[in-house]
Amino acid sequence: MIEIPDRETALREVEDGDWAGYFDRQQKRLNKSGSGSHGGTIVLTDSYPLNKTFKVESRVELFGAYRAKHHIGSSCGFEALPGFQGSWVVEWKTPRAGKYYSNFGAGLRQIHVQSVPGVGGVYFRGAQQSSGIDNVFVRGYGGAVGLRMGGDTYSVRDVFSDALKGGDALPRPSGSIAFDLGEKRVVSLRLENITAHDCEIGLRCADVAQVTIENFETELTLFPFVVNYSPRGINARNCAFRHTRSILKMNRVRWASNCLIKMDGQVSDNKPGQITLPDGGVVEVPKTFDLVVEATKQGVEVTNLREMRDFYREGRQSA
């Protein structure tokens, strides 16, 4: 474990204003794993500026000294500066070229990341139960992605993703995505208590298998949940979608026989919800919904489990 001192103290070791270079030198002080990657925990005790991407070693955990808050000034983390260079404020490396599922020990906990418009907040890659994301705020990335997650078999808890930050003017920036599951196949993730604010898309996924999302809230977000390729075993429970009628937008289903999405929750503005199908059709669902979405070669089918229960009760009463 390495503890980073407060910003003023750390500044003495920063060369030519290159904070990313400073953090890169610090992580190279960590022990190496058998594969040669540095691994361990870096404890942040303050918020630090960055003018280019901090590329985190594949098995390194970033850990704030105390719980992250709604604003960067009261949190541990990173703040992108004007003129930032790079696609992400913080990005985890792959263990080696072409390997996307071996980021054992990678972690992001109790951290606030404040970006600038057009620059993604965090690109995290993790593997297995030694990895994970907990108590993270990502803000200010308007027009980009707040948090992209890749890998398998880890948990994501208590995350707030907002394309805007305090003082930014509405409307929501076009193209903003709060949470993105990619770029390769994502398997067996658990997302719990996540919020998307001021975005075009709340959660976007492509090639995913056995993903659970629980306590998923969106506000001022046009499309809370978008599927682009192959949803195989997604469970989205206790959803709360505000300021929109959309609950699910499906752009494509690659393998119909494996398509399975289970969703329950509520459209919170006293309106029925809508599911947009790959062919452009729209299915209207109740304000409080309990659904199963599957597919055949003929198209996508939406089953309203509340209607099925009503039918069962009516049949039992008439028997």
Side-chain angles (χ1 to χ4, degrees), residues 50-54 80-90 116 119:
L50 289 173
N51 55 15
K52 63 181 180 181
T53 302
F54 172 29
L81 298 175
F84 186 90
Q85 299 178 1
S87 300
W88 301 93
V89 181
V90 180
V116 292
V119 175

Side-chain angles (χ1 to χ4, degrees), residues 48-111:
Y48 308 89
L50 289 173
N51 55 15
K52 63 181 180 181
T53 302
F54 172 29
K55 295 188 177 181
V56 186
E57 292 285 340
S58 62
R59 296 173 183 178
V60 168
E61 175 188 47
L62 300 180
F63 196 103
Y66 46 86
R67 294 283 291 179
K69 310 299 191 299
H70 200 69
H71 300 286
I72 187 69
S74 53
S75 304
C76 302
F78 301 101
E79 178 181 1
L81 298 175
F84 186 90
Q85 299 178 1
S87 300
W88 301 93
V89 181
V90 180
E91 178 182 3
W92 267 257
K93 299 178 181 178
T94 58
R96 54 186 183 273
K99 300 295 181 181
Y100 294 91
Y101 301 99
S102 301
N103 287 63
F104 305 111
L108 184 67
R109 308 182 194 276
Q110 303 189 165
I111 297 292

Side-chain angles (χ1 to χ4, degrees), residues 237-256:
R237 302 176 57 194
N238 200 39
C239 301
F241 301 145
R242 300 181 61 188
H243 313 122
T244 183
R245 291 189 64 187
S246 175
I247 66 168
L248 175 63
K249 186 173 189 288
M250 303 183 71
N251 291 324
R252 185 183 181 191
V253 174
R254 176 63 179 87
W255 289 284

Side-chain angles (χ1 to χ4, degrees), residues 110-276:
Q110 303 189 165
I111 297 292
H112 188 125
V113 175
Q114 181 172 293
S115 188
V116 292
V119 175
V122 176
Y123 189 164
F124 179 83
R125 297 179 171 99
Q128 305 297 327
Q129 287 77 10
S130 60
S131 298
I133 298 174
D134 179 51
N135 179 222
V136 170
F137 284 75
V138 186
R139 303 188 70 189
Y141 51 84
V145 175
L147 174 59
R148 175 174 287 171
M149 296 160 280
D152 69 285
T153 329
Y154 60 87
S155 294
V156 179
R157 298 181 60 192
D158 298 344
V159 182
F160 181 92
S161 181
D162 191 339
L164 304 178
K165 63 182 187 302
D168 288 346
L170 290 170
R172 73 179 70 89
S174 176
S176 301
I177 300 168
F179 302 100
D180 187 31
L181 300 181
E183 81 263 29
K184 299 294 182 178
R185 179 175 298 163
V186 174
V187 180
S188 295
L189 295 196
R190 179 177 180 84
L191 284 63
E192 182 179 347
N193 197 30
I194 63 172
T195 292
H197 261 229
D198 302 311
C199 287
E200 182 174 346
I201 296 173
L203 173 65
R204 181 179 70 177
C205 64
D207 192 357
V208 295
Q210 300 311 126
V211 171
T212 292
I213 308 143
E214 189 165 11
N215 221 50
F216 175 27
E217 182 208 24
T218 68
E219 291 190 43
L220 297 169
T221 296
L222 188 60
F223 299 108
F225 190 9
V226 173
V227 171
N228 281 342
Y229 187 66
S230 177
R232 288 170 291 170
I234 297 176
N235 292 277
R237 302 176 57 194
N238 200 39
C239 301
F241 301 145
R242 300 181 61 188
H243 313 122
T244 183
R245 291 189 64 187
S246 175
I247 66 168
L248 175 63
K249 186 173 189 288
M250 303 183 71
N251 291 324
R252 185 183 181 191
V253 174
R254 176 63 179 87
W255 289 284
S257 61
N258 291 322
C259 172
L260 178 61
I261 302 173
K262 301 176 184 178
M263 296 185 70
D264 66 70
Q266 179 176 261
V267 181
S268 300
D269 292 317
N270 298 312
K271 297 177 181 178
Q274 292 182 339
I275 295 177
T276 304

